[in-house]
Structures are given as C-alpha cells and as structure tokens.
C-alpha cells in the first residue's frame, strides 16, 4: 500500500489547514487510511502553521525530523525552516514568494534568499520545486488560492500519492461552488509551473 | 463540520477533528446539556456545539469561567440530564473546587468532563498532567488516541457515567484534540435520557456526616470498576515474548508506528490502555507476570509507571519496570523520534542515527503578533508613552499577552487567568512601584472581577487597563457575558461592564484606544491618581467585527511623505501591515485594516487609496 508522510508548513491565513484537509479527503476517497495533525491556537496571529498528513496506515499524526516524504511549503522561509523534517530522497514543493516576518520588516533580521532552500536541499532531496504561488493565484483570480497552486505543483511533479485529476475531483466535490472555478484554475497553473520548473 | 454531526442514523464515515468526534460521541451517548469555558486545545468541541445549537437536542452555554461551567453542568446532571463540561487543562484548576466534591455528590444524569491537556505548552502557561485529577477527584478516566477513539470513548464515557451515576473524565492532549481522521458514526439515541430528581438531602448535601458516607460510596464504585477496566475493549493486549510495553494516550500511536518500523510487531508484548483509571489491575498483573522487562511509555508525569510499580510490589511480581528516562522525559511532548530511541535502547539495539538536513539556527523567527488593526496595539503604545519602563506591567491571558514582545514589552509577570489585577495589587503593595495591570473583557468576567473587588477593599495602588475588544478573541471569538453580538445576532442579555466596575467602587474611564489623543490624555490623568483605577479601552476586535458583519469599510493607510521619516512609527508599532520593500518603508494595502492609528503618529502617513503594487 502507498505510504506517505506529508509535512505542511506556512503562515497563519495562507490556507495551510484547508489544503491539508482537502488532501485528507482525497486520500479517503482513494480508499487509503489517513490521519492528519494540526496545531491551532496562536497561528491566527501571523505565526507559523504546521500540519501533517500520513497516508497508508500510520497511527501517528506527527512527523519527526528526517521522516517526511514530502514537504509542502506555503511560504519560502518556513519551507527552509522545515527542511530538517525531510527524509533523504524526499520531495520539497514550495512557494518561492515571501511573507516577511516582523523582525525582517523592522530591519532587525535578514530574510534568506531563495537559493538557501535549493542549496540546503541539494543532493539530499530527490526534487525541489519552487513556484510563485501567490502571483499565480492572483492570475487565477485570488491570492487566497495560493494553497491550491501549491497542491497542483506537488501533484504534477509526482510528490503526492494523488494525481492532478484526483485533486480536480476533490475541489469540485468539497469546495464551495463559487470557489471551484478559481481553484481549478489555480490548480492548473500550479501544475504547469511545476512541469516548466522540472523541464528547466 | 456541520449538520452531519446531528444526523440520527449512524454508519457514515466522516473526516473529523478529534474535538468534533468528541461532539458526535457525546451526542451518541445522549448528551443534553453542554457547558464550557473555551481554551486551546479544547475549543473546537464547544464551538461546534455552539454553531449547531439552534434547534439542537441540547442546551449550550459558554459559561463565565470553568468553575461556573462545572457547577452549571453539575446542576444539570443532578436534575437528571446527561451533561458535558469542556475546558483546557488549566481550566480544571479553576473548576477544581466543585470537581473535588462532584464525585461525592454524584452525577445522576451522567456527566463527562473533557480536560484537554497541552504537553509541550503549545498554547498554555504550563503542561500539567490532569490524569492526576482523576485520582484526586475519583473520576474514571478515558484517554483516546485517534479521532475514532475520541468519538467512541466520548460516547462510552457518557454511558458509563449514566450507568454509575458518577462523573467521568475524558482526558485528551493537544495532538488528540487536533488529529483529523476518519470516524464511523453510530446512531443517536432514539429517546432522550432523563433521570428525574428525587429530593434526598442526605444523598446530595455533603455535610461532614453525609460526606463520609459519600466518600465510601465513591470508593466502592471505583473499586468495582477495576473489573470493568480489566474487561474493557479499550484495554488491548497483543504480541508475545518476554519484553513488554504498556502505553496510553497519544504515546500509543508513536509506539505502534515505531514497533512496526523496527520490525518488532508480534515479537514483543504490547498492552494499550484506553480506560486508564481505575487501572485494569488484574490484566496488568497478568501482563507483568508474562514479561521479564516492561517499558512504560506515557507523556508527562509517571502516572501509570508509579501505579504499575506499586501494583507489582503489592502482588509480589518480579519484573523489571522501566519508564521515565532520558528518552522518555517528564517534559514536553513525545514523538516517534524519542520513542524510537527508547524502544531501541530497551530491546538492546544501538541508537538510531537520524539522517536529516540542518538549517541555520539564526533564521528569522516568526513569533505570533497582534493583528493589523488590533486595538491592543494602540492601547499598549499609549501606556508605554506615559509610563515607559517606569511601571511594572502585570499581564493576563488572551491575545494581549502578545504585548510581551517588543516593541511593547508590556508584560513583566503572569500567573493565570484573571491574575493580573490581584497579582499586580500584591506587587504594588509590596514594592511601592507603579503597576499597570492589563486584562481582557472575557478574562475580567472570568476571574478578574474578584481581584478588582480586593483592590477596592484594600485600596491597592494599581491602574487596571481593561482591553475590551468585545469578544474572546484568543480562543476563536467566542461570546462572553459582555458581548453585543454573536454569530446568531444581537446578545439579548449583555452584562454592563461599566456598571459592574462602578458597583465595585471605582468610576471607570472609557476610551477608544484608536483615538490616540484621548487615550493619552486619560492615561496621563489616571497616572497622577492613586488607589485602584480602571481604564476601559473599548474597540471591537477587527476579526470579530468582520465575522459578525459589523466591520466598517475603511481605506488603508499609505505613505504620503518621506518613507524614511516613518521608521520610528514602524519600530514603535510593529504592525504586520508594515513592510520594507527594496529597503524602503511601505504599508501593505492588502494587510492594512484601516484602523488609522499610525496616521495619528506621523505627518508622513495619511489615509488613502490602495497603492499601486
């Protein structure tokens, strides 16, 4: 049976938990056992949001360092921070765009460059795909669909035990009708970006 | 998750959060009366009951605090209705007074107390282990580990409580409350359960003479329950061999995965406990007798370990018992990583080497921050302008605890819910230093008011700033007794905060903290006075205002003058809408809430249209 540990990381308000739940439903529809974990609470105030999805019969809803088959990073700095969770040969699919934490805005800390993620994961990850999820989501119709762009990219590059078509079905089935079109567009743009990134 | 939780027929597979599963489980157990005080990680349970409450087969309230919640639920079970009371672990301390006598007085209609513990302090001031309360108060205790178990054990806790007429503890931890997994539902009861009240003061009034009898009755119930625990389907044994593991709660998940990945399934013995108080003593004794060596895997306090050691000693069983250690500490949460090391050490394998990337330790942090437009930011800014570091800041529990962080540094100490006024008063009396106590509206109703009465009675020299954002923001915008509006519309019976303070003996001053000039003037005036003083800084939480449809349309602020001249405002407010783009200060129009506080502090900032990106 397909077994996968997927680690999600992002910033409060990015739809990290919505994406996690959508993938969990997709797994259930595929007949796979699934357990998922979320940390709530302070996240609403702009803090880090981490969640997990474990497919294929794991009992634990957490992921320890070196265990994640996939890291889905909804924000660049948080993707970098989460890299220790990755197992050798795992996938990193992330948003290449930044949301500055307060220390960076105040000029007290420096935001790491995009290359930091690529260089750290090089030779360890099987594949690193970074896509401008917020810009692509705006192109699809709303920045709020950046989470769906990322899911599209992850499915298209083979990081998930689901296809883009599986996710299309889930979006049609589980999102509010008025949100379906924009999210399908976002999913497709993410998938395209991942394929272009792989080719490059 | 919505109405499907109220569906009468079972048999559906729903993807539920642990807390939602608890809602379904207690409904299947016949719950008709629900009280709570919200608090992470318990909040989604009461919030779900609240959201579904209109036309639902139960009464629901967000009580004023946990003590009141348990007392109200205690009254309901005495009246014969199956009742549920939910709170976070530290809330049980507030409710401890009624709790310690509740099991004496009994729960004729059934009563389940949900205690959501927080190992690792994800969103709490401590990581106390409330399994100990089960022992102290004499409550049978269930510890679920999965979403399905949350549902099943919540139901069975309620059914057991109804059967024995004694309160039952459902003890969860953060990872269990916030697990999301498939849950197969059962049917809701066809007929509502009720146990009509019959007057019998000797049974329900714990005067010394009757209390002694009640205590004896309680012990008999608990002793009788050992046989039930021995036979419980939640206490499951598997495997074979001389090496044994005993575990409960979320640690069971980690242990199961580790045993599988280490190829130990079937080669070692495993006893998983779900009904953990009273312990299934005969079952455990037999398990111990079959093993040479046993490792007990439990988060936080060595509760099982100590009781199992005592059991082995009492029964004269010769077995090596291991528990708390370097790999299985009393501090924090467990994970598959530390359980793996503990298991390997126990079976004589070398430590596992973790093959993982490292990242620089000095990455920019992302601490939670007060939201854009949060009125607390403005209140803190004004208080610091008047007092700077000359005052000592007594803080309390809510979003405003985030004032701890720079640039406000408006929290010098904190004990618990409602402590800011009383602890601030004690500090002022002992030190003679100026003290400002910050407290939110919900926390003031919860347990701040008693501190105010004390401050008035003893003329404590403390300035109390009530940060009244018209909701309980931190835990998810639950209504409190003072709110004007909920998701169901206007609050018909709001408690008048100003009148309440006045009745305590202080004439409060009310300001809109987003009006900087007025707030500053009020604070300056109050800073010259002595004795207990109250400033009510009232402005609705912007997130709450949006949810209840009361947000005003506003324009975002913009940099109209010299961006370099705005850096002081940037540093003093640390608003999340502020950003540096290519080294230049700007305001992110998407993030800006339009509170227009910053424009009052700099001529270079103005209200304006959205800036072009």
């Amino acid at each position: 049976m397909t077994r996968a540990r997927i680690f999600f990381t992002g910033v409060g308000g990015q739809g990290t938990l919505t994406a996690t739940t959508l993938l969990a439903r997709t797994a259930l529809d595929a007949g796979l056992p699934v357990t998922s974990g979320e940390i709530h609470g302070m996240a609403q105030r702009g803090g880090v949001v981490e969640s997990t999805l474990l497919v294929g019969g794991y009992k634990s809803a957490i992921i320890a360092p070196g265990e994640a088959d996939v890291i889905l990073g909804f924000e660049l700095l948080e993707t970098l921070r989460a890299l220790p969770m990755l197992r050798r040969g795992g996938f990193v699919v992330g948003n290449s765009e930044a949301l500055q934490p307060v220390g960076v805005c105040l000029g007290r800390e420096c935001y790491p460059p995009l290359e930091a993620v690529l260089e750290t994961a090089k030779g360890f990850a099987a594949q690193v795909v970074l896509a401008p999820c917020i810009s692509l989501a705006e192109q699809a119709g709303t920045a709020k669909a950046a989470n769906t762009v990322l899911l599209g990219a992850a499915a298209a590059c083979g990081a998930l035990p689901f296809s883009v078509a599986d996710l299309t079905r889930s979006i049609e089935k589980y999102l509010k009708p008025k949100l379906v079109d924009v999210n399908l567009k976002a999913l497709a743009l993410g998938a395209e970006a991942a394929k272009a990134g792989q080719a490059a | 998750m919505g109405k499907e939780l109220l569906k009468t027929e079972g048999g559906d597979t729903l993807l539920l959060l642990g807390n939602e599963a608890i809602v379904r489980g207690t409904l299947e157990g016949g719950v008709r009366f629900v009280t709570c005080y919200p608090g992470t990680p318990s909040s989604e349970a009461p919030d779900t009951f609240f959201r579904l409450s209109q036309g639902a087969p139960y009464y629901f309230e967000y009580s004023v605090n946990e003590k009141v919640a348990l007392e109200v639920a205690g009254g309901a079970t005495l009246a014969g209705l199956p009742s549920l009371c939910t709170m976070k672990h530290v809330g049980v301390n507030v409710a401890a007074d009624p709790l310690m006598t509740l099991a004496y007085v009994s729960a004729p209609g059934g009563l389940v107390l949900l205690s959501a513990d927080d190992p690792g302090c994800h969103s709490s001031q401590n990581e106390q282990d409330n399994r100990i309360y089960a022992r102290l108060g004499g409550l049978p205790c269930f510890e679920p580990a999965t979403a399905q178990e949350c549902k099943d054990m919540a139901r069975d806790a309620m059914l057991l409580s109804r059967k024995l007429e004694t309160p039952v503890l459902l003890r969860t931890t953060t990872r269990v409350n916030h697990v999301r997994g498939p849950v197969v539902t059962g049917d809701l009861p066809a007929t509502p359960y009720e146990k009509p009240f019959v007057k019998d003061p000797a049974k329900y009034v714990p005067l010394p003479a009757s209390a002694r009898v009640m205590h004896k009755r309680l012990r008999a119930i608990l002793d009788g329950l050992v046989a039930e625990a021995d036979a419980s389907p939640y206490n499951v044994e598997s495997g074979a061999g001389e090496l044994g593991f005993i575990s409960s709660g979320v640690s069971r998940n980690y242990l199961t995965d580790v045993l599988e990945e280490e190829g130990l399934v079937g080669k070692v013995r495993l006893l998983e406990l779900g009904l953990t108080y009273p312990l299934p003593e005969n079952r455990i004794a037999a398990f111990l007798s079959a093993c040479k060596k046993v490792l007990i895997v439990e988060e936080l306090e060595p509760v099982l370990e100590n009781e199992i050691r005592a059991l082995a000693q009492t029964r004269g069983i010769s077995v090596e018992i291991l528990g708390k250690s370097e790999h299985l500490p009393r501090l924090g949460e467990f994970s598959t990583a530390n359980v793996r090391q503990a298991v390997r050490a126990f079976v004589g394998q070398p430590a596992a080497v973790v093959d993982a990337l490292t990242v620089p330790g000095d990455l920019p942090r992302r601490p939670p921050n007060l939201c854009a437009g949060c009125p607390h930011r403005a209140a803190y800014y004004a208080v610091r302008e008047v007092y700077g570091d000359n005052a000592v800041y007594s803080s309390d529990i809510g979003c405003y605890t985030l004032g701890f962080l720079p640039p406000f540094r408006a929290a010098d100490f904190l004990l618990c819910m409602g402590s800011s006024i009383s602890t601030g008063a004690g500090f002022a009396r002992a030190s003679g230093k100026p003290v400002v106590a910050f407290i939110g509206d919900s926390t003031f109703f919860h347990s701040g008011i008693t501190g105010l009465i004390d401050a008035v009675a003893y003329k404590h020299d403390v300035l109390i700033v009530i940060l009244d954002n018209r909701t309980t923001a931190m835990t998810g915008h639950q209504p409190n007794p003072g709110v004007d509006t909920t998701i169901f519309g206007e609050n018909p019976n709001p408690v008048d905060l100003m009148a309440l303070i006045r009745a305590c003996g202080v004439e409060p001053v009310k300001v809109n903290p987003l009006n900087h000039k007025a707030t500053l003037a009020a604070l300056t005036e109050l800073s010259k006075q002595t004795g207990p003083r109250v400033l009510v800084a009232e402005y609705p939480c912007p997130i709450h205002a949006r949810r209840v449809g009361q947000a005003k349309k506003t324009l975002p602020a913009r940099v109209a003058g010299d961006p370099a001249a705005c850096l002081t405002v940037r540093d003093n407010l640390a608003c999340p809408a502020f950003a540096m783009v290519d080294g230049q200060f700007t305001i992110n129009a998407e993030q800006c809430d339009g509170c227009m506080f910053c424009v009052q502090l700099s001529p270079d900032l103005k209200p304006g249209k959205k800036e072009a990106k």
Side-chain angles (χ1 to χ4, degrees):
Chain A
M1 183 186 287
T2 318
R3 266 167 93 91
R5 289 172 158 136
I6 305 166
F7 189 88
F8 302 70
T9 183
V11 177
Q14 284 199 293
T16 310
L17 298 182
T18 310
T20 311
T21 307
L22 192 72
L23 274 197
R25 293 191 189 288
T26 311
L28 265 188
D29 285 347
L32 296 168
V34 63
T35 183
S36 167
E38 307 171 359
I39 286 296
H40 298 206
M42 297 264 194
Q44 202 164 34
R45 327 299 149 191
V48 181
V49 179
E50 293 173 346
S51 59
T52 61
L53 181 70
L54 293 93
V55 178
Y58 291 103
K59 289 274 183 282
S60 311
I62 58 158
I63 295 174
E67 284 186 348
D69 298 295
V70 188
I71 289 178
L72 292 184
F74 294 78
E75 199 276 344
L76 186 66
L77 168 62
E78 298 317 319
T79 308
L80 178 59
R81 203 192 308 277
L83 286 181
M85 308 310 287
L86 191 69
R87 74 161 168 84
R88 188 173 289 278
F91 283 82
V92 179
V93 185
N95 178 7
S96 60
E97 291 168 319
L99 294 177
Q100 292 186 356
V102 63
V104 173
C105 293
L106 300 185
R108 284 198 296 260
E109 292 172 304
C110 282
Y111 197 92
L114 185 76
E115 292 70 36
V117 172
L118 298 169
E119 275 161 29
T120 308
K122 202 173 155 187
F124 188 89
Q127 208 175 354
V128 182
V129 175
L130 298 176
C133 297
I134 301 172
S135 306
L136 290 174
E138 280 170 351
Q139 207 179 310
T142 169
K144 285 190 178 129
N147 55 352
T148 308
V149 174
L150 190 74
L151 292 184
C157 71
L160 303 177
F162 318 109
S163 64
V164 176
D166 293 335
L167 294 179
T168 302
R169 271 194 298 278
S170 290
I171 286 170
E172 288 167 346
K173 191 168 162 191
Y174 295 115
L175 295 194
K176 285 185 191 152
K178 63 172 183 179
L179 298 177
V180 167
D181 281 349
V182 65
N183 277 283
L184 288 180
K185 248 183 239 169
L187 189 77
L189 286 171
E192 264 171 50
K195 281 179 196 150
Q198 277 178 314
Chain B
M1 187 51 56
K3 291 279 180 199
E4 49 271 62
L5 286 173
L6 294 176
K7 200 175 144 189
T8 310
E9 307 79 33
D12 293 331
T13 300
L14 305 176
L15 184 69
L16 298 183
L17 201 62
N19 281 333
E20 294 168 338
I22 288 168
V23 170
R24 177 69 194 188
T26 48
L27 285 166
E28 288 177 15
V31 73
R32 295 182 63 191
F33 201 98
V34 184
T35 66
C36 75
Y37 189 80
T40 315
S42 74
S43 304
E44 298 83 4
D47 292 355
T48 303
F49 276 114
F50 176 55
R51 232 180 25 250
L52 302 176
S53 60
Q54 303 215 318
Y58 54 82
Y59 168 80
F60 174 83
E61 72 171 44
Y62 288 111
S63 305
V64 70
N65 66 29
E66 293 88 350
K67 177 179 188 286
V68 172
L70 188 60
E71 289 161 351
V72 172
T77 187
L78 282 166
L81 296 194
S83 304
L84 171 70
C85 183
T86 74
M87 57 194 65
K88 66 185 290 176
H89 62 328
V90 287
V92 181
N93 303 332
V94 180
D97 199 1
L99 181 62
M100 290 305 107
T101 311
L102 182 66
Y104 279 30
V105 173
S106 83
L111 186 147
V112 172
L113 172 64
L114 169 66
S115 165
D117 293 12
D118 191 17
C121 302
H122 288 282
S123 48
S124 308
Q125 67 269 37
N126 76 27
E127 51 179 348
Q128 67 187 49
D129 188 333
N130 279 7
R131 293 179 298 168
I132 292 170
Y133 269 121
R135 278 82 184 158
L136 202 56
L139 277 72
C141 177
F142 287 86
E143 290 183 69
T146 63
Q148 182 73 51
E149 284 184 359
C150 281
K151 198 279 284 176
D152 293 342
M153 289 191 190
R155 175 198 60 207
D156 291 343
M158 187 61 83
L159 295 178
L160 182 69
S161 178
R162 278 165 44 173
K163 184 176 86 175
L164 302 176
E165 302 191 9
T166 202
V168 173
L169 183 68
L170 182 64
R171 187 265 190 174
T172 56
T173 54
T174 304
R175 299 285 179 177
V176 176
N177 296 97
H178 292 165
V179 71
R180 196 182 285 277
V183 174
V184 181
T185 59
D187 293 340
L188 297 191
T191 48
Y193 181 84
E194 189 170 350
K195 169 107 187 178
F197 180 71
V198 179
K199 282 189 181 229
D200 187 354
K203 197 172 165 194
Y204 300 125
V205 182
L207 293 174
S210 46
R212 290 181 207 114
V213 179
M214 291 171 171
H215 193 188
K216 196 172 168 189
R217 183 198 66 93
L218 173 62
R219 285 315 320 174
I221 289 175
L222 295 170
D223 290 345
L225 203 50
V226 172
E228 184 134 1
D230 280 330
S232 169
Y234 295 122
N235 297 332
V236 186
E237 197 177 326
S238 59
E242 293 180 329
L243 297 178
F245 295 87
I246 301 178
S247 186
S248 75
V250 78
S251 310
R252 284 169 46 214
N253 296 339
Y254 309 150
L255 185 59
T256 307
D257 283 346
V258 166
L259 292 179
E260 167 136 13
E261 294 198 331
E262 295 291 322
L264 291 168
V265 173
K267 296 174 189 160
V268 294
R269 276 177 204 275
L270 175 60
L271 179 57
E272 297 182 68
L273 301 178
L275 173 51
T276 58
Y277 184 77
L279 279 183
E281 290 179 1
N282 303 309
R283 192 83 175 268
I284 292 172
F287 184 86
L288 295 177
S289 302
C291 295
K292 259 197 178 145
K293 202 163 83 160
V294 169
L295 179 65
I296 293 156
V297 185
E298 60 184 322
E299 278 181 341
L300 298 178
E301 297 303 311
V303 173
L304 294 178
E305 181 184 341
N306 290 345
E307 291 180 5
I308 291 170
R309 284 182 193 283
L311 181 70
Q313 200 268 349
T314 310
R315 304 268 179 115
I317 302 164
S318 169
V319 57
E320 191 183 349
I321 296 171
L322 301 167
K324 291 290 157 187
S325 68
E326 175 202 349
H327 297 309
L328 301 177
R330 286 168 84 147
L331 317 177
E333 284 189 298
F334 284 180
S335 71
T336 41
N338 67 331
V339 171
R340 185 184 313 279
Q341 300 297 19
V343 167
R344 289 180 69 93
F346 181 71
V347 301
Q349 290 286 320
V353 180
V354 178
D355 184 19
L357 291 168
T358 51
V359 293
D362 60 350
L363 290 178
R365 290 170 312 117
R366 196 182 295 274
N369 188 6
L370 296 170
C371 304
C374 177
H376 302 338
R377 173 176 288 105
Y380 280 137
Y381 178 77
V383 170
R384 274 211 87 84
E385 230 184 338
V386 173
Y387 284 97
D389 280 329
N390 294 327
V392 173
Y393 298 115
S394 179
S395 193
D396 222 304
I397 294 183
C399 285
Y400 49 93
T401 318
L402 296 175
F404 165 81
L405 297 167
F408 307 113
R409 300 185 310 283
D412 289 308
F413 49 75
L414 163 62
L415 284 181
C416 62
M417 283 288 286
S419 67
S420 57
I421 300 174
S422 28
T423 309
F427 191 96
R429 178 70 65 180
S431 70
K433 292 198 166 111
V435 170
V436 180
F438 294 107
I439 187 165
D441 47 332
S442 187
T443 309
F444 180 75
F445 287 118
H446 177 283
S447 50
I449 184 169
T450 44
L452 175 60
I453 294 168
D454 193 81
V456 171
Y458 299 102
K459 238 181 164 344
H460 288 306
D461 199 7
V462 57
L463 171 59
I464 299 155
V465 178
I466 300 184
L467 300 162
D468 182 2
N469 62 1
R470 317 302 298 149
T471 186
T472 313
M474 188 69 188
T475 50
H477 304 91
Q478 293 84 0
N480 67 53
V483 303
D484 318 296
T485 324
T486 76
I487 52 168
F488 298 128
E490 205 172 307
N491 175 9
N493 319 300
V495 174
D496 184 341
L497 179 67
M498 295 294 281
L500 192 60
I501 297 164
R502 225 169 266 135
C504 290
V506 182
E507 187 55 44
V509 178
K510 180 146 104 177
V511 291
N512 170 1
L514 294 179
N515 180 340
H516 184 52
K517 211 169 149 190
T519 307
L520 202 59
L523 278 164
T524 306
E525 183 54 36
L526 286 164
S527 72
K528 293 175 191 154
Q529 301 169 10
T530 56
R533 291 144 286 156
V534 178
L535 179 75
V536 177
E538 183 194 293
Y539 196 81
C541 164
I543 299 179
H544 175 64
R546 279 195 291 274
R547 275 198 196 171
V548 298
Q550 290 197 330
K552 293 173 193 138
K553 286 228 161 160
T554 53
L555 292 169
R558 67 187 171 93
V559 180
D562 178 10
C566 302
L567 296 185
T568 310
V569 173
R570 177 196 73 174
D571 293 349
N572 285 341
L573 296 186
C575 175
F578 296 167
M580 296 299 284
V581 176
D582 303 325
Q584 207 170 59
F585 177 79
T586 182
I587 293 176
N588 182 335
E590 292 291 333
Q591 296 267 324
C592 178
D593 186 69
C595 75
M596 294 304 143
F597 185 68
C598 64
V599 305
Q600 298 167 51
L601 306 183
S602 165
D604 293 292
L605 295 168
K606 295 262 188 270
K609 288 178 182 155
K610 287 191 182 186
E611 284 174 293
K613 279 212 167 178

